[in-house]
Amino acid sequence: MNILIFNNIDTLGDDFVNRCNVFLPAWRKEQMLKYKFRKGQIQNGLAYVLLVKLLCDECGQNVLEKLPEFSYNEYGKPFLKNYPEWFFSISHCQSAVAVALSHSLLGIDIEEIMRYKERVAAYVSNDFELKIINDNDHPDEAFIRLWTQKEAVFKYNGTGITDDIKNIINNVDCQIFTERLDNKFISLATNKDCKEKYICKVVTNINDIKFL
C-alpha cells in the first residue's frame, strides 16, 4: 500500500496545466478544464499524475501506454476500470494532494489545521469525541485529526458523507492510520484484514515525476 503526497501546490502554475493538457487522456483533461479556477485545475491534474506515478511504480512503465480509466459506483466513488486489481483514493487541501493505492479497499483524507469552531465540531462529533476535542490543549488540531479520520472512512465506504457522520468511526469495521505533515493531518482507512504495510512518500518538486 503506497501513499504519494505532493506538498507544494503553490509552486505549480500555467506550465503545469499545459503539461497536463498534453499528458492527460481526453476524458481527464475535460474534467480538469471544467474547473473555473486554476487551483482546481492543478489539483485535478495533479491527482491523476500522482495516481499514474504510483501505478508505474507498481506495474512498470507500460502504464504510460495504458493510462488508468475510471468507473464509478452509484455514490460517485471512483474505481480503476482497466486495473481492477487495484483500489485507490484521492484527497486534496489548499496546499497538497494525496493519492493512495492498494490491493485492498481504502479511503484517504488530507486537511490543513484551521481555526477551531465548536459549533462545527458539535455538528459532526458525538459527545465522547467532542469532549476529547474540547479537553485538548489544541482543539483545532484534535478536531482536524478526527475529521480526516471520518472523511477517510466515508471514502472507504464509498457512500460520501451520510447522516451517520457523528458515529461513522464506531459503525464501520475498518482500521485507521493518521499521520501529521507540517500543518496537515492525513488519515488512511482500510480493511481490518489488510496486512499490507503502508509507505508514504512526499514530493515537493514536480520535476521528480520524470514522465510528465
Side-chain angles (χ1 to χ4, degrees):
M1 184 183 306
N2 290 300
I3 301 170
L4 188 57
I5 300 171
F6 191 92
N7 194 34
N8 208 7
I9 285 181
D10 290 339
T11 63
L12 305 178
D14 290 347
D15 177 67
F16 174 74
V17 174
N18 291 337
R19 290 160 78 176
C20 285
N21 275 330
V22 174
F23 174 74
L24 298 183
W27 67 268
R28 186 65 179 190
K29 181 167 70 172
E30 182 180 353
Q31 286 184 354
M32 180 183 74
L33 295 178
K34 283 182 179 178
Y35 286 87
K36 180 179 179 180
F37 297 106
R38 213 45 150 183
K39 174 64 75 71
Q41 294 175 359
I42 290 170
Q43 290 168 331
N44 183 274
L46 182 58
Y48 189 85
V49 169
L50 296 180
L51 174 61
V52 172
K53 176 67 169 69
L54 287 174
L55 282 169
C56 283
D57 291 346
E58 293 289 347
C59 305
Q61 295 299 306
N62 61 321
V63 170
L64 298 175
E65 300 174 4
K66 185 185 174 184
L67 291 173
E69 300 176 11
F70 295 177
S71 59
Y72 300 87
N73 72 5
E74 60 184 305
Y75 301 102
K77 179 180 173 69
F79 293 88
L80 290 170
K81 184 190 302 185
N82 51 343
Y83 294 92
E85 68 276 21
W86 291 100
F87 295 91
F88 77 103
S89 185
I90 290 171
S91 181
H92 61 75
C93 58
Q94 284 298 311
S95 61
V97 172
V99 180
L101 183 73
S102 173
H103 284 299
S104 298
L105 193 64
L106 77 169
I108 195 168
D109 190 55
I110 184 168
E111 301 287 347
E112 294 172 352
I113 298 167
M114 299 178 291
R115 184 169 64 88
Y116 177 57
K117 297 180 180 179
E118 186 172 356
R119 177 178 57 83
V120 176
Y123 182 75
V124 303
S125 309
N126 60 41
D127 292 342
F128 177 74
E129 293 168 341
L130 192 61
K131 186 177 188 306
I132 291 176
I133 294 168
N134 288 329
D135 287 349
N136 195 289
D137 291 337
H138 301 283
D140 53 344
E141 298 177 9
F143 172 67
I144 291 300
R145 184 180 190 276
L146 175 67
W147 177 246
T148 62
Q149 293 175 345
K150 287 177 181 276
E151 275 270 28
V153 171
F154 278 124
K155 290 183 177 181
Y156 168 84
N157 277 352
T159 59
I161 296 175
T162 66
D163 292 339
D164 195 29
I165 192 167
K166 290 193 175 194
N167 297 299
I168 184 64
I169 291 177
N170 299 327
N171 293 341
V172 174
D173 190 28
C174 67
Q175 54 185 334
I176 304 170
F177 305 95
T178 302
E179 302 281 353
R180 181 166 179 170
L181 175 64
D182 301 331
N183 67 329
K184 293 173 280 290
F185 280 101
I186 306 104
S187 286
L188 174 73
T190 188
N191 193 299
K192 275 191 174 179
D193 296 328
C194 177
K195 304 301 182 184
E196 294 180 73
K197 293 183 178 179
Y198 72 89
I199 300 171
C200 185
K201 181 178 180 181
V202 179
V203 178
T204 58
N205 186 340
I206 196 63
N207 293 320
D208 290 340
I209 300 177
K210 303 301 182 182
F211 60 74
L212 190 62

